[in-house]
Amino acid sequence: MIQYKCPCCGAALVFSPKTQKLSCDSCGNEYELETMEQYHATENGEDEPDLNWGETEGPVAEKKADGLYICPSCGGEVEADDNTVSTKCPYCDNVVIINPVDIGGFVEPDLIIPFSVGSEKAKSMLESFCKGKKLLPKDFHNKSYLKNLKGYYVPYWLFDCEADANMTFDATTIRSWSDSNYNYTETSFYRVERSGTMAFSNVPVDGSVEIDNSITESIEPFDVSKAQKFKTTYLSGYETSQYDLPSEEAHKRAKTRLYRTAESSIRNTVNGYHTVTTINRRLYASSPKVKYALFPIWLFETVYVGKKYQFAINGQTGKMVGELPVDESLAKSYMLKYSVIGTVILSILTLIIGGIF
């Protein structure tokens, strides 16, 4: 396992979204990513200072057994499956990076978008969202739920392609008028054809099976223009998994998304009609290219009454979306309470009205 440690005090370093540097919570020092790369390269006797995902930097512990690793900080056993790239040690809470040579079939990411939203801001956003929601389970009232909010680098596939589209529509215009004797309505029918070529760049598809596509797509967009070349230093302090959805399967999702966008774009060019109905559509994708990237997401997960709930915050923009559980017993008590109040109010009004008349 790999763990970047402070050269001054030896504490684990964490990538800071605020400064875009590696920071030490223990002594307060901060380090440029390139500085730490060179430092670890020197410490490990490497001639080449540039990091490569297949190389090893920093304190590395042997792989004890399949699925078990030794934490470089405390010596505790850390469990990790074949898709885990970085994870939190259950004993010392430091995030450690799995030595890539131990990950079967690992593919090096082409790009990574570093976190811009820090831990405290993400917790504040989730806390504000939960504030005032009285039907949340009791654990949400003492803020213990905040410990379940974790920073993840989620694997994404990015697709580039060109799309040729041909679409046919039936359209109508309606004109109405009247005279002293009659009301008239004239309906004109048209056949409208459109065709065009569009270029798509960086169409994102979540490469993690565990995270619901509706969640990841709802917190889009990510600004891929600010993506950086992949370096392991960005992973410090955050959990990461490599993709478990192959690019071949992700391509189907990307195709659906770009076709939907292409169809919408062409449909928006058919203006000036009262009704428009799609009759035929032919969409073809060509010149496909794919890139592998890691995107930052703050993810809150909880299981309540057997149902899994996910709440996500875009780690770059701060956009958030998700669903939170409702305490059914509280909901029933509130319904009973207000139904009783409503009954009492209705009874009083009945008595008052009866007394008046």
Side-chain angles (χ1 to χ4, degrees), residues 71-249:
C71 175
S73 289
C74 68
E77 291 184 347
V78 180
E79 290 190 30
D81 59 29
D82 291 339
N83 291 322
T84 301
V85 178
S86 62
T87 188
K88 181 177 289 188
C89 173
Y91 302 102
C92 65
D93 280 342
N94 286 320
V95 174
V96 290
I97 303 169
I98 305 297
N99 187 349
V101 299
D102 290 330
I103 302 176
F106 185 81
V107 177
E108 178 182 347
D110 299 297
L111 302 170
I112 184 170
I113 296 180
F115 273 87
S116 297
V117 177
S119 172
E120 293 306 315
K121 183 178 179 180
K123 289 180 179 179
S124 176
M125 292 173 66
L126 179 57
E127 185 179 350
S128 297
F129 185 82
C130 295
K131 189 175 182 180
K133 293 180 172 58
K134 297 180 180 180
L135 297 183
L136 288 173
K138 61 180 181 180
D139 288 343
F140 285 77
H141 298 298
N142 57 20
K143 300 181 182 180
S144 62
Y145 63 93
L146 290 175
K147 68 175 183 259
N148 292 330
L149 182 67
K150 298 178 181 180
Y152 287 91
Y153 277 110
V154 177
Y156 270 81
W157 295 108
L158 304 178
F159 293 90
D160 299 343
C161 71
E162 293 182 357
D164 294 319
N166 297 281
M167 297 186 66
T168 304
F169 306 91
D170 276 348
T172 64
T173 58
I174 301 174
R175 186 168 69 95
S176 300
W177 70 95
S178 60
D179 57 24
S180 58
N181 297 315
Y182 299 99
N183 295 322
Y184 302 92
T185 299
E186 177 189 79
T187 303
S188 301
F189 297 86
Y190 301 88
R191 175 61 56 88
V192 183
E193 295 184 356
R194 292 286 189 273
S195 63
T197 299
M198 287 164 275
F200 291 87
S201 177
N202 298 318
V203 177
V205 176
D206 172 15
S208 172
V209 176
E210 290 296 319
I211 303 179
D212 192 337
N213 285 331
S214 63
I215 293 289
T216 53
E217 291 180 9
S218 296
I219 60 173
E220 293 177 5
F222 289 90
D223 187 354
V224 183
S225 68
K226 296 182 179 179
Q228 304 294 323
K229 183 179 178 182
F230 178 79
K231 295 178 181 178
T232 54
T233 42
Y234 287 117
L235 304 183
S236 296
Y238 305 95
E239 299 189 31
T240 314
S241 294
Q242 68 168 337
Y243 67 87
D244 50 13
L245 180 70
S247 60
E248 294 79 10
E249 294 184 31

Side-chain angles (χ1 to χ4, degrees), residues 297-349:
I297 292 179
W298 288 99
L299 188 64
F300 169 78
E301 292 184 313
T302 187
V303 176
Y304 182 72
V305 194
K307 181 180 177 182
K308 183 178 180 180
Y309 294 85
Q310 289 184 331
F311 185 94
I313 300 174
N314 186 314
Q316 182 188 38
T317 66
K319 183 179 180 180
M320 60 181 181
V321 69
E323 181 185 9
L324 295 173
V326 173
D327 189 319
E328 295 182 2
S329 61
L330 278 177
K332 290 179 181 178
S333 66
Y334 267 93
M335 289 179 63
L336 179 61
K337 175 182 177 181
Y338 286 109
S339 63
V340 170
I341 293 175
T343 302
V344 171
I345 293 175
L346 183 61
S347 300
I348 294 174
L349 289 174

Side-chain angles (χ1 to χ4, degrees), residues 250-275:
H251 182 266
K252 299 175 184 177
R253 182 69 179 174
K255 194 173 182 179
T256 300
R257 299 193 72 185
L258 69 90
Y259 277 12
R260 188 185 304 142
T261 302
E263 181 177 348
S264 176
S265 298
I266 291 180
R267 169 62 180 82
N268 289 337
T269 67
V270 183
N271 301 313
Y273 302 96
H274 289 98
T275 65

